[in-house]
Amino acid sequence: MGDIVISSAVRENLSSLQSTADLLSRTNNRLSTGLKVSSPIDNPTSFFTAQGLNNRAADLGTLQDNIGLAVETLSAAASGIESLQTLVEQAKSTANSALNTKIKATEITSTASFTDPTTALSAFANAASTETITINVDGATTTITAKALTVSKFVSAVNGISGVSASLSGSALKVSAASGREVTIASGVGSLGSDLGLTGTYDTGTNRDSFVTDYNNLLDQIDQLAADASFNGVNLLDGNDLTAKFNEDGSSSLTISGVTFDASGLGLSDSTTTAFGTDSGINAVVSTLDSATNTLRTQSSTFGNNLAVVENRQNFTDSLISVLERGAGGLTLADTNVEGANLLALQTRQSLGTTALSLSSQSDQAVLSFIR
């Protein structure tokens, strides 16, 4: 090109066309990529600043996945507690049903015969004044002085005890208990079996046995449900802790302590027919179930507060990611409306430049007329 001589007018128009072509290429690139800064060459400051903002947004996006898993883990634990509460209520209903079920064998009839109610019970006729007969009715103990004890005095003393009564029907001594009560009769001296013909403790029967089985089965279900309340390998109801990180370096986080909410962890244990054989035993079971319900409700509130915190941070992180991406876009994204207008103007300028180049070359073409 150095050997070709171009007039100054043509050179100026050619330079203008080249500049317009460069601008057209840049504008077309911005329209096709949507970016006004696509490399450090375009604008180093804007490019690297936007890259930093986008990198942080990407890191926070990864954290959002973990935060989402934390939300689901807490939701699984909350659902587990709700189901555990239902099982505890069912166990309480079972215990109350047992409490309302009456025990069999409420009357004991002596095998000895008593024709005279004033007859002294021989084993206690000469008993020391300190000797007593103990009668236990459903956990409540009453004592009767054994000295000079007669049949009528025994009947009178027993009738003075709540929940049990005695009578002399014909020649047979009868002791009756209120339905659902357990009565035990014992003495420090003598033999009740030979003097009264009573065995000492009447059979409580098996009417409540089925409730014991149902109750223990429910406790097994509590164990299984607590073990199944896991999500992504973390079970907050089986002693696992959960840490939710809210920023890139982990300096902002929340650690949620797990609990052990199987039957044992709730203070519940398998019951026996002995425990369900008395009202006081069943009431003790109901008391532990009430305590377990309060524990579940308290922990449900704690998990609910933790869930609210994690969801709040999840929403905040979503907003922050949008702000970062918007900021990066403001530095690098092209305004397609502006670039479209620029393209139209450059196309017009290119057309005018071509016309101007043609006009500027006409003066050089006039030399040809002399050659002809």
PDB file of all heavy atoms in Angstrom, residues 30 65 111 153 194 211 244 246 261 289 312 327 341:
ATOM      1  N   ARG A  30     -22.178  -6.191  20.039  1.00  0.00           N
ATOM      2  CA  ARG A  30     -22.960  -5.901  21.247  1.00  0.00           C
ATOM      3  C   ARG A  30     -24.396  -6.397  21.099  1.00  0.00           C
ATOM      4  O   ARG A  30     -24.985  -6.921  22.060  1.00  0.00           O
ATOM      5  CB  ARG A  30     -22.953  -4.399  21.531  1.00  0.00           C
ATOM      6  CG  ARG A  30     -21.627  -3.878  22.047  1.00  0.00           C
ATOM      7  CD  ARG A  30     -21.676  -2.384  22.295  1.00  0.00           C
ATOM      8  NE  ARG A  30     -20.418  -1.895  22.876  1.00  0.00           N
ATOM      9  CZ  ARG A  30     -20.189  -0.626  23.193  1.00  0.00           C
ATOM     10  NH1 ARG A  30     -21.126   0.302  22.957  1.00  0.00           N
ATOM     11  NH2 ARG A  30     -19.037  -0.270  23.718  1.00  0.00           N
ATOM     12  N   ASP A  65     -28.716 -23.752  47.613  1.00  0.00           N
ATOM     13  CA  ASP A  65     -29.076 -25.172  47.555  1.00  0.00           C
ATOM     14  C   ASP A  65     -28.979 -25.805  48.944  1.00  0.00           C
ATOM     15  O   ASP A  65     -29.853 -26.577  49.357  1.00  0.00           O
ATOM     16  CB  ASP A  65     -28.151 -25.904  46.578  1.00  0.00           C
ATOM     17  CG  ASP A  65     -28.340 -25.428  45.145  1.00  0.00           C
ATOM     18  OD1 ASP A  65     -29.430 -24.901  44.846  1.00  0.00           O
ATOM     19  OD2 ASP A  65     -27.403 -25.572  44.347  1.00  0.00           O
ATOM     20  N   THR A 111     -63.858 -69.220 102.954  1.00  0.00           N
ATOM     21  CA  THR A 111     -64.171 -70.651 103.023  1.00  0.00           C
ATOM     22  C   THR A 111     -64.503 -71.080 104.455  1.00  0.00           C
ATOM     23  O   THR A 111     -65.038 -72.171 104.678  1.00  0.00           O
ATOM     24  CB  THR A 111     -62.975 -71.472 102.525  1.00  0.00           C
ATOM     25  OG1 THR A 111     -61.824 -71.124 103.315  1.00  0.00           O
ATOM     26  CG2 THR A 111     -62.683 -71.179 101.059  1.00  0.00           C
ATOM     27  N   LYS A 153     -66.264 -56.827 114.449  1.00  0.00           N
ATOM     28  CA  LYS A 153     -65.331 -55.690 114.447  1.00  0.00           C
ATOM     29  C   LYS A 153     -64.553 -55.625 113.129  1.00  0.00           C
ATOM     30  O   LYS A 153     -64.291 -54.555 112.590  1.00  0.00           O
ATOM     31  CB  LYS A 153     -64.369 -55.812 115.621  1.00  0.00           C
ATOM     32  CG  LYS A 153     -65.001 -55.530 116.970  1.00  0.00           C
ATOM     33  CD  LYS A 153     -63.974 -55.659 118.080  1.00  0.00           C
ATOM     34  CE  LYS A 153     -64.604 -55.356 119.454  1.00  0.00           C
ATOM     35  NZ  LYS A 153     -63.597 -55.475 120.534  1.00  0.00           N
ATOM     36  N   SER A 194     -56.301 -69.190 107.313  1.00  0.00           N
ATOM     37  CA  SER A 194     -56.985 -70.184 108.150  1.00  0.00           C
ATOM     38  C   SER A 194     -58.090 -69.557 108.991  1.00  0.00           C
ATOM     39  O   SER A 194     -59.126 -70.182 109.215  1.00  0.00           O
ATOM     40  CB  SER A 194     -55.966 -70.885 109.061  1.00  0.00           C
ATOM     41  OG  SER A 194     -55.340 -69.923 109.903  1.00  0.00           O
ATOM     42  N   PHE A 211     -54.867 -53.775  76.628  1.00  0.00           N
ATOM     43  CA  PHE A 211     -54.465 -52.372  76.547  1.00  0.00           C
ATOM     44  C   PHE A 211     -52.960 -52.226  76.734  1.00  0.00           C
ATOM     45  O   PHE A 211     -52.333 -51.341  76.147  1.00  0.00           O
ATOM     46  CB  PHE A 211     -55.203 -51.539  77.600  1.00  0.00           C
ATOM     47  CG  PHE A 211     -56.678 -51.437  77.364  1.00  0.00           C
ATOM     48  CD1 PHE A 211     -57.575 -52.143  78.149  1.00  0.00           C
ATOM     49  CD2 PHE A 211     -57.173 -50.649  76.340  1.00  0.00           C
ATOM     50  CE1 PHE A 211     -58.944 -52.058  77.930  1.00  0.00           C
ATOM     51  CE2 PHE A 211     -58.550 -50.547  76.113  1.00  0.00           C
ATOM     52  CZ  PHE A 211     -59.433 -51.255  76.900  1.00  0.00           C
ATOM     53  N   ALA A 244     -26.666 -24.626  59.095  1.00  0.00           N
ATOM     54  CA  ALA A 244     -27.018 -23.945  57.847  1.00  0.00           C
ATOM     55  C   ALA A 244     -26.108 -22.733  57.697  1.00  0.00           C
ATOM     56  O   ALA A 244     -26.094 -21.847  58.555  1.00  0.00           O
ATOM     57  CB  ALA A 244     -28.481 -23.516  57.863  1.00  0.00           C
ATOM     58  N   PHE A 246     -24.921 -19.265  55.810  1.00  0.00           N
ATOM     59  CA  PHE A 246     -25.641 -18.210  55.100  1.00  0.00           C
ATOM     60  C   PHE A 246     -24.736 -17.315  54.257  1.00  0.00           C
ATOM     61  O   PHE A 246     -25.236 -16.476  53.509  1.00  0.00           O
ATOM     62  CB  PHE A 246     -26.415 -17.346  56.089  1.00  0.00           C
ATOM     63  CG  PHE A 246     -27.422 -18.113  56.904  1.00  0.00           C
ATOM     64  CD1 PHE A 246     -27.511 -17.926  58.277  1.00  0.00           C
ATOM     65  CD2 PHE A 246     -28.268 -19.030  56.317  1.00  0.00           C
ATOM     66  CE1 PHE A 246     -28.435 -18.629  59.036  1.00  0.00           C
ATOM     67  CE2 PHE A 246     -29.194 -19.747  57.063  1.00  0.00           C
ATOM     68  CZ  PHE A 246     -29.272 -19.544  58.435  1.00  0.00           C
ATOM     69  N   PHE A 261     -35.922 -38.310  70.130  1.00  0.00           N
ATOM     70  CA  PHE A 261     -37.344 -38.388  70.444  1.00  0.00           C
ATOM     71  C   PHE A 261     -37.920 -39.770  70.160  1.00  0.00           C
ATOM     72  O   PHE A 261     -39.032 -39.892  69.663  1.00  0.00           O
ATOM     73  CB  PHE A 261     -38.116 -37.317  69.678  1.00  0.00           C
ATOM     74  CG  PHE A 261     -38.191 -35.999  70.404  1.00  0.00           C
ATOM     75  CD1 PHE A 261     -38.844 -34.912  69.841  1.00  0.00           C
ATOM     76  CD2 PHE A 261     -37.609 -35.846  71.643  1.00  0.00           C
ATOM     77  CE1 PHE A 261     -38.907 -33.705  70.513  1.00  0.00           C
ATOM     78  CE2 PHE A 261     -37.668 -34.644  72.321  1.00  0.00           C
ATOM     79  CZ  PHE A 261     -38.323 -33.559  71.761  1.00  0.00           C
ATOM     80  N   LEU A 289     -47.091 -39.474  79.801  1.00  0.00           N
ATOM     81  CA  LEU A 289     -47.538 -39.123  78.446  1.00  0.00           C
ATOM     82  C   LEU A 289     -47.805 -37.622  78.331  1.00  0.00           C
ATOM     83  O   LEU A 289     -47.490 -36.999  77.311  1.00  0.00           O
ATOM     84  CB  LEU A 289     -48.798 -39.909  78.094  1.00  0.00           C
ATOM     85  CG  LEU A 289     -48.604 -41.421  77.896  1.00  0.00           C
ATOM     86  CD1 LEU A 289     -49.938 -42.135  77.822  1.00  0.00           C
ATOM     87  CD2 LEU A 289     -47.802 -41.686  76.626  1.00  0.00           C
ATOM     88  N   ASN A 312     -36.092 -16.999  56.240  1.00  0.00           N
ATOM     89  CA  ASN A 312     -35.832 -15.572  56.101  1.00  0.00           C
ATOM     90  C   ASN A 312     -34.480 -15.327  55.425  1.00  0.00           C
ATOM     91  O   ASN A 312     -34.354 -14.493  54.520  1.00  0.00           O
ATOM     92  CB  ASN A 312     -35.861 -14.896  57.473  1.00  0.00           C
ATOM     93  CG  ASN A 312     -35.646 -13.398  57.377  1.00  0.00           C
ATOM     94  OD1 ASN A 312     -36.393 -12.694  56.726  1.00  0.00           O
ATOM     95  ND2 ASN A 312     -34.595 -12.917  58.027  1.00  0.00           N
ATOM     96  N   GLY A 327     -26.187  -5.599  39.436  1.00  0.00           N
ATOM     97  CA  GLY A 327     -25.026  -4.709  39.437  1.00  0.00           C
ATOM     98  C   GLY A 327     -24.021  -5.097  38.381  1.00  0.00           C
ATOM     99  O   GLY A 327     -23.458  -4.227  37.692  1.00  0.00           O
ATOM    100  N   ALA A 341     -30.206   1.871  17.653  1.00  0.00           N
ATOM    101  CA  ALA A 341     -30.169   3.227  17.077  1.00  0.00           C
ATOM    102  C   ALA A 341     -28.781   3.519  16.520  1.00  0.00           C
ATOM    103  O   ALA A 341     -28.636   4.146  15.435  1.00  0.00           O
ATOM    104  CB  ALA A 341     -30.561   4.242  18.138  1.00  0.00           C
TER     105      ALA A 341
END
